Amino acid sequence: MFPRFIGLLFWLMVMGVMGFWYARTLGALAAALAFALFTIFKDLWRGQKISNWLRHNTVQEPPVLGGLWGDLIDRLRRILNDQKKQTESHQKRLQDFLSAIQASPNGVVLLDPEGRIEWCNQTAAHHLGFDTKRDVMQHVVHLVRDPVFKKYYLQETHDGEVIIEGRSSSLSYSVKLSVQLHAYGENRQLLLSRDVTALAQAEAMRRDFVANVSHEIRTPLTVLSGFIETLQTLDLKPEDRVKFLDLMSTQASRMQGLVNDLLTLSQLEGSPLPLMTEQFMLSELMGAAEAEAKGLSVANSVEGRLTQTLRFEMSQEWRLIGSRHEIYSAVTNLINNAVRYTPQDGTVTCIWAQLPDQRLQFSVQDTGPGIAPEHLPRLTERFYRVDRSRSRESGGTGLGLAITKHVMQRHGGELRIESELGKGSKFSLIFPESRTLEVLQNSSDIHLEVTHSSS
Ligand code: ADP
């Protein structure tokens, strides 16, 4: 500032001296006055340019000016640039923040002090049926019409959450949402929504499961305690006592079967996946399964001998990689079901064969009653039975196919069910190629290729 002032004085003096040289004192005063007026007008002109620039459009390049005004402009430009950078950085942070909220699996809605929607992410829009643009500044209670939510919204404090029906619910599929309000800022509220359908389903399944198990255990227990009371109070003939004890033994075995199946299920759910190092020969597994099936068939027959035709075919020896214990239970569940549901003169055919895509299939085909198509998708649900009394009579627990499906999932395979009412059923276990090893046979193993057939 000071050098400029000196410069100005210097030029004033130069002009004064030149005026004095030209017309003495009057000339000096006129020249100094002219210089001063010129300087003032120049400054006014520059000031006006800056004022125009500031007033109209600071985004455009500022006017190029010299002197003090030029300095001022530079400084202003630097301040404006800094502010622009700061605004850009704040905007970027805001965008990042909004993108993060958009990416959230939970719904987020910002409400103003009147309860109007200021902003919401896509998840909230999907959960609650909002339109992210059209519904801005709409009152949330006008859009979320569930009475449970309305009551919750009108409460003074919102400590807990409420469960309401989601907008995408339909008659066949109910979506459950957990909704919670949190106060923030100056009387503003944050509404968070979370899809809890899976949790609600799991909870419903747990409740059903406990109810089913209790029911399944209570029935044989009631029968058993009835018999015990009879035996305690009545003086029965020896043959009646034997009959009663036989019936009690049947009920006790039923409970035992149920408890065993429940333990198997919980072990399957709780244990790590079967290792790729455990292997076993299929012929050995099938030998044991065949013996068990024959025993069951004889036990079920009225004549006390094998009347069903049981066929076991395995054209070639295989090694399976996985848990022998689990696969044995899957295989015998299918064979035993076929034996149990097929009439005395029926046929059960069990075949191991390789599919064209190299997977290995074990199929059990029977000539039993078959299953109506509407039951097929539900057969692997726990305790689902087509014919409840028939399943119970033949010692079923309703858990066999659930266990089988689980075992197959744990081995990367699948359970396939085909059936035609009145004609019979075919249950197949399909193992991935990675779990099968072909065993090349020499002449001493030839007996493995023989088709086992017994009737
Ligand atoms: P269960 O112990 O009752 O047999 P499962 O889970 O093994 O239970 O089978 C579920 C239901 O599927 C059975 O109750 C039965 O109604 C039906 N089912 C299973 N296998 C056969 C079959 N081979 N033929 C006809 N129905 C079958």
Side-chain angles (χ1 to χ4, degrees):
M1 187 76 186
F2 187 68
R4 286 180 198 285
F5 183 66
I6 299 291
L8 208 64
L9 276 183
F10 170 75
W11 282 110
L12 196 65
M13 273 172 64
V14 171
M15 295 306 284
V17 170
M18 279 171 67
F20 185 79
W21 173 74
Y22 190 70
R24 301 288 145 193
T25 310
L26 201 64
L29 280 174
L33 188 67
F35 179 73
L37 280 176
F38 170 74
T39 309
I40 288 169
F41 278 123
K42 199 171 88 180
D43 273 358
L44 278 177
W45 174 75
R46 283 173 171 170
Q48 187 59 44
K49 276 196 117 175
I50 293 175
S51 165
N52 284 347
W53 173 65
L54 285 175
R55 196 176 322 126
H56 295 305
N57 199 351
T58 49
V59 180
Q60 265 182 10
E61 277 298 296
V64 183
L65 301 172
L68 189 62
W69 292 109
D71 267 5
L72 194 70
I73 283 257
D74 271 355
R75 277 175 206 187
L76 267 177
R77 187 170 39 199
R78 250 177 270 139
I79 291 170
L80 282 173
N81 277 346
D82 284 352
Q83 274 185 350
K84 203 170 137 193
K85 273 188 200 143
Q86 251 184 21
T87 313
E88 276 170 6
S89 140
H90 286 161
Q91 257 174 353
K92 189 174 174 309
R93 282 186 65 186
L94 182 68
Q95 274 312 321
D96 288 349
F97 186 65
L98 290 179
S99 310
I101 303 180
Q102 275 296 8
S104 159
N106 294 334
V108 181
V109 186
L110 307 184
L111 301 176
D112 73 2
E114 270 73 51
R116 290 175 303 203
I117 299 167
E118 284 187 320
W119 183 87
C120 74
N121 67 357
Q122 288 292 349
T123 314
H126 174 70
H127 282 167
L128 302 162
F130 295 164
D131 184 314
T132 47
K133 291 202 174 78
R134 194 193 57 212
D135 291 335
V136 168
M137 296 324 279
Q138 294 288 324
H139 203 288
V140 68
V141 174
H142 296 162
L143 297 174
V144 184
R145 295 191 161 266
D146 195 311
V148 177
F149 176 75
K150 193 169 179 186
K151 194 168 160 217
Y152 173 70
Y153 179 82
L154 293 174
Q155 282 171 10
E156 295 250 310
T157 51
H158 306 107
D159 295 333
E161 54 179 15
V162 279
I163 305 293
I164 62 169
E165 201 70 26
R167 257 306 173 86
S168 45
S169 279
S170 65
L171 276 178
S172 56
Y173 187 72
S174 155
V175 175
K176 296 283 176 212
L177 294 179
S178 149
V179 173
Q180 188 157 18
L181 283 165
H182 297 271
Y184 81 100
E186 282 177 23
N187 295 327
R188 287 168 191 277
Q189 297 197 84
L190 183 72
L191 186 151
L192 297 180
S193 65
R194 195 161 47 97
D195 189 334
V196 291
T197 313
L199 272 175
Q201 278 172 348
E203 178 55 24
M205 272 171 73
R206 192 194 61 78
R207 271 199 311 268
D208 286 356
F209 184 69
V210 171
N212 273 323
V213 171
S214 316
H215 177 75
E216 293 289 334
I217 288 182
R218 199 180 51 195
T219 315
L221 260 183
T222 314
V223 179
L224 267 178
S225 52
F227 283 142
I228 290 170
E229 212 178 296
T230 313
L231 285 172
Q232 280 172 335
T233 50
L234 293 180
D235 193 13
L236 295 170
K237 281 190 263 170
E239 58 270 28
D240 288 339
R241 276 183 90 80
V242 171
K243 209 168 85 189
F244 272 46
L245 286 171
D246 272 354
L247 289 168
M248 287 168 75
S249 157
T250 311
Q251 295 302 326
S253 317
R254 202 175 129 193
M255 279 207 297
Q256 210 168 19
L258 180 69
V259 172
N260 286 343
D261 277 359
L262 284 172
L263 281 175
T264 308
L265 258 182
S266 88
Q267 271 162 11
L268 287 176
E269 278 171 353
S271 57
L273 289 181
L275 297 173
M276 289 302 277
T277 45
E278 201 184 327
Q279 312 181 354
F280 58 91
M281 295 287 236
L282 270 190
S283 55
E284 177 273 316
L285 178 120
M286 286 313 289
E290 187 178 337
E292 191 178 321
K294 280 182 186 164
L296 181 69
S297 182
V298 171
N300 283 352
S301 97
V302 191
E303 298 170 30
R305 65 180 182 88
L306 194 61
T307 54
Q308 287 176 325
T309 303
L310 306 182
R311 286 205 189 103
F312 293 85
E313 296 175 14
M314 191 168 67
S315 58
Q316 159 177 13
E317 176 63 301
W318 292 90
R319 259 180 204 283
L320 265 186
I321 305 170
S323 158
R324 183 202 177 275
H325 172 71
E326 289 181 21
I327 293 175
Y328 183 76
S329 100
V331 164
T332 50
N333 267 331
L334 296 192
I335 304 177
N336 293 353
N337 273 356
V339 169
R340 280 166 47 220
Y341 293 109
T342 301
Q344 302 273 298
D345 57 350
T347 303
V348 174
T349 310
C350 308
I351 305 176
W352 282 94
Q354 196 171 29
L355 297 175
D357 63 5
Q358 308 301 312
R359 290 185 297 166
L360 190 61
Q361 172 175 286
F362 172 65
S363 60
V364 182
Q365 179 130 34
D366 64 52
T367 55
I371 304 159
E374 66 268 22
H375 295 294
L376 294 181
R378 299 197 60 192
L379 285 188
T380 53
E381 284 176 21
R382 293 162 190 200
F383 298 112
Y384 188 84
R385 288 136 159 160
V386 178
D387 183 343
R388 202 158 271 273
S389 61
R390 179 148 189 200
S391 157
R392 290 222 178 96
E393 269 166 32
S394 60
T397 59
L399 295 172
L401 290 179
I403 292 175
T404 306
K405 185 178 170 188
H406 222 95
V407 168
M408 292 314 288
Q409 278 172 347
R410 285 166 58 79
H411 286 82
E414 61 175 284
L415 164 66
R416 203 175 277 173
I417 308 173
E418 296 150 79
S419 189
E420 206 178 322
L421 203 56
K423 291 218 168 133
S425 314
K426 183 177 169 187
F427 289 77
S428 310
L429 305 180
I430 299 169
F431 293 90
E433 197 189 349
S434 56
R435 290 226 174 241
T436 58
L437 288 175
E438 208 170 335
V439 177
L440 296 174
Q441 293 159 11
N442 56 37
S443 51
S444 63
D445 291 330
I446 277 300
H447 66 279
L448 293 169
E449 295 187 34
V450 173
T451 294
H452 300 277
S453 169
S454 33
S455 56

